[in-house]
């Protein structure tokens, strides 16, 4: 399987996912594969959930963040890393940096969820804030990388980040056996691209679908039109999927390996969040519910199939979580 690389880019391959798996072994949690009889009855499918809300720092992002920092040279590690993130990647980089003894600088939006900002600061990162509706975080990151000699590790558009995220699907397929379908949420597509690399290498007949919020379907538009479509920052409760465009690394991989990208509504995310809390005793953040909501709503037809569902994370502040779980009065 070869994927045509855009000029000047070396795309990650499944071999890089295997290398990442070696780097994170014993550091990242090997999260379980979970089943739910209620979910199976509801969908007529055989669903296997990969609960990355139980990952270190509460999301799959630890996999890619740790892998990307661990891959740096000793001199790069000494100088430190910089990134920008609306939350979970920030925590992943801050936490991985602390574990690896690498200084971290994080550029975060002013309106990032309070729990995520507090957790990131708690891991010892230096935090710089910006306005995500008016300022360009890429430019801020590039400027800091240049002026301070830091390595920029963006949240999704980086080969080692993509490879690290792919270890989630590698574990799921190795633990649960072959799948007919794999459902993965996307923002910038790092998790989806990495998981597609792993799924297609281990289980070539598995059809991989991306799932994004209705309000922010730039990935769907991009896949269907054959070029990266940029949209305004979408308003959705799925804050981890508010990324307005796919990456130069993630898009060609998604184009080559992903069947389709479907969308679900914020209401469907809330219903899935309640399902996870009530039936599976799992705290899942809105973005983490995207893949499951595609199965529950029929956005991807799953009846009669064996289906992997990645639950991407569980970092939701308790006040919002309580509101989501409270039935409308
Ligand atoms: C970052 C994130 C996503 C989106 O991941 P991408 O690699 O940008 O597609 C989805 N869910 C959660 C919980 C996240 O933190």
């Amino acid at each position: 399987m070869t994927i045509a690389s855009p000029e000047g880019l070396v795309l990650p391959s499944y071999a890089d996912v295997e290398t990442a798996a070696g780097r994170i072994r014993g550091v990242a949690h090997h999260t379980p594969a979970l089943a739910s009889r209620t979910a199976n009855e509801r969908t007529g499918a055989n669903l296997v959930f990969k609960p990355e809300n139980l990952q270190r720092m509460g999301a799959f992002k630890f996999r890619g963040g740790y892998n990307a920092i661990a891959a740096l040279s000793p001199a790069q590690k000494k100088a430190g890393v910089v990134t920008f993130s609306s939350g979970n990647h920030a925590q992943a980089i801050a936490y991985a940096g602390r574990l690896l003894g690498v200084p971290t600088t994080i550029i975060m939006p002013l309106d990032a969820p309070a729990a995520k900002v507090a957790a990131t600061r708690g891991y010892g990162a230096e935090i710089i804030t910006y306005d995500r509706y008016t300022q360009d975080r890429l430019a801020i990151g590039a400027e800091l990388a240049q002026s301070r000699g830091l390595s920029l590790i963006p949240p999704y558009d980086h080969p080692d980040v993509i490879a690290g995220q792919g270890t989630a699907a590698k574990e799921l397929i190795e633990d649960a056996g072959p799948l007919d379908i794999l459902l993965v949420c996307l923002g910038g597509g790092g998790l989806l691209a990495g998981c597609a690399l792993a799924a297609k290498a281990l289980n070539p007949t598995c059809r991989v679908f991306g799932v994004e919020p209705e309000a922010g379907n730039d990935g769907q538009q991009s896949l269907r039109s054959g070029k990266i479509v940029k949209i305004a920052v979408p308003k959705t409760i799925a804050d981890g999927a508010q990324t307005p465009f796919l990456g130069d690394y993630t898009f060609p991989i998604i184009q080559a390996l992903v069947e389709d990208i479907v969308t679900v509504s914020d209401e469907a995310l809330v219903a899935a969040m309640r399902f996870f809390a009530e039936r599976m005793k799992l705290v899942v953040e809105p973005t983490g519910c995207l893949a499951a909501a595609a199965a529950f709503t029929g956005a991807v037809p799953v009846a009669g199939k064996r289906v992997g569902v990645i639950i991407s994370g569980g970092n939701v502040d308790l006040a919002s979580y309580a509101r989501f779980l409270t039935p409308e009065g």
Side-chain angles (χ1 to χ4, degrees), residues 14 50 88 117 228 256 290 310 322:
Y14 180 62
K50 180 70 170 170
N88 285 333
V117 180
I228 298 175
L290 282 162
I310 309 269

Side-chain angles (χ1 to χ4, degrees), residues 59-61 88 156 185-191 240 285 287 312-313:
F60 71 90
K61 290 246 175 40
N88 285 333
Y156 56 88
C185 61
L186 70 144
L191 180 64
E285 64 182 276
T287 316
S312 60

Side-chain angles (χ1 to χ4, degrees), residues 68 82-84 89 93 138 151-158 161 165:
V82 60
T83 193
F84 42 80
H89 178 68
I93 289 293
L138 245 171
S151 297
L152 177 62
I153 303 180
Y156 56 88
D157 210 22
H158 186 293
V161 171
Q165 318 308 28

Side-chain angles (χ1 to χ4, degrees), residues 50-126:
K50 180 70 170 170
E52 285 294 298
N53 56 316
L54 306 178
Q55 185 51 262
R56 284 184 92 161
M57 56 57 56
F60 71 90
K61 290 246 175 40
F62 183 73
R63 297 172 182 272
Y66 189 91
N67 184 50
I69 298 182
L72 294 173
S73 72
Q76 289 171 318
K77 284 181 180 151
K78 187 152 182 284
V81 302
V82 60
T83 193
F84 42 80
S85 165
S86 62
N88 285 333
H89 178 68
Q91 288 181 65
I93 289 293
Y95 192 16
R98 192 173 76 176
L99 292 173
L100 290 160
V102 173
T104 55
T105 303
I106 317 282
I107 302 162
M108 295 187 91
L110 287 163
D111 60 344
K116 293 184 177 180
V117 180
T120 307
R121 192 167 279 129
Y123 294 130
E126 180 188 345

Side-chain angles (χ1 to χ4, degrees), residues 24-301:
I24 69 169
R25 187 166 297 128
V27 186
H29 294 314
H30 184 128
T31 53
L34 301 178
S36 155
R37 203 178 61 189
T38 314
N40 289 348
E41 281 167 3
R42 202 175 276 191
T43 56
N46 185 347
L47 302 177
V48 199
F49 296 94
K50 180 70 170 170
E52 285 294 298
N53 56 316
L54 306 178
Q55 185 51 262
R56 284 184 92 161
M57 56 57 56
F60 71 90
K61 290 246 175 40
F62 183 73
R63 297 172 182 272
Y66 189 91
N67 184 50
I69 298 182
L72 294 173
S73 72
Q76 289 171 318
K77 284 181 180 151
K78 187 152 182 284
V81 302
V82 60
T83 193
F84 42 80
S85 165
S86 62
N88 285 333
H89 178 68
Q91 288 181 65
I93 289 293
Y95 192 16
R98 192 173 76 176
L99 292 173
L100 290 160
V102 173
T104 55
T105 303
I106 317 282
I107 302 162
M108 295 187 91
L110 287 163
D111 60 344
K116 293 184 177 180
V117 180
T120 307
R121 192 167 279 129
Y123 294 130
E126 180 188 345
I127 295 178
I128 295 173
T129 53
Y130 79 106
D131 178 354
R132 70 164 129 189
Y133 296 98
T134 61
Q135 286 183 294
D136 179 8
R137 63 186 195 171
L138 245 171
I140 301 172
E143 202 283 312
L144 269 174
Q146 180 73 34
S147 64
R148 298 192 191 176
L150 309 177
S151 297
L152 177 62
I153 303 180
Y156 56 88
D157 210 22
H158 186 293
D160 295 319
V161 171
I162 295 168
Q165 318 308 28
T167 59
K170 177 179 187 289
E171 288 174 13
L172 177 60
I173 293 167
E174 287 173 351
D175 291 347
L179 303 168
D180 300 311
I181 292 174
L182 178 64
L183 301 176
V184 186
C185 61
L186 70 144
L191 180 64
L192 176 59
C195 286
L197 286 172
K200 289 296 186 184
L202 294 169
N203 186 178
T205 58
C206 178
R207 295 158 73 222
V208 180
F209 289 86
V211 187
E212 62 188 350
E214 243 168 42
N217 73 334
D218 60 286
Q220 184 183 59
Q221 292 183 46
S222 301
L223 188 60
R224 293 180 184 180
S225 70
K227 58 178 196 314
I228 298 175
V229 173
K230 302 190 180 188
I231 61 170
V233 176
K235 305 257 195 235
T236 165
I237 61 170
D239 58 283
Q242 281 181 313
T243 322
F245 49 88
L246 297 176
D248 296 332
Y249 288 91
T250 59
F251 183 54
I253 299 172
I254 290 169
Q255 250 187 324
L257 304 181
V258 171
E259 201 79 16
D260 196 9
I261 293 176
V262 301
T263 64
V264 298
S265 67
D266 279 7
E267 292 71 47
L269 297 181
V270 171
M273 214 178 318
R274 290 193 188 140
F275 169 84
F276 283 128
E278 190 170 29
R279 300 296 178 146
M280 295 182 74
K281 317 305 166 193
L282 294 176
V283 175
V284 183
E285 64 182 276
T287 316
C289 293
L290 282 162
F296 292 153
T297 60
V300 174

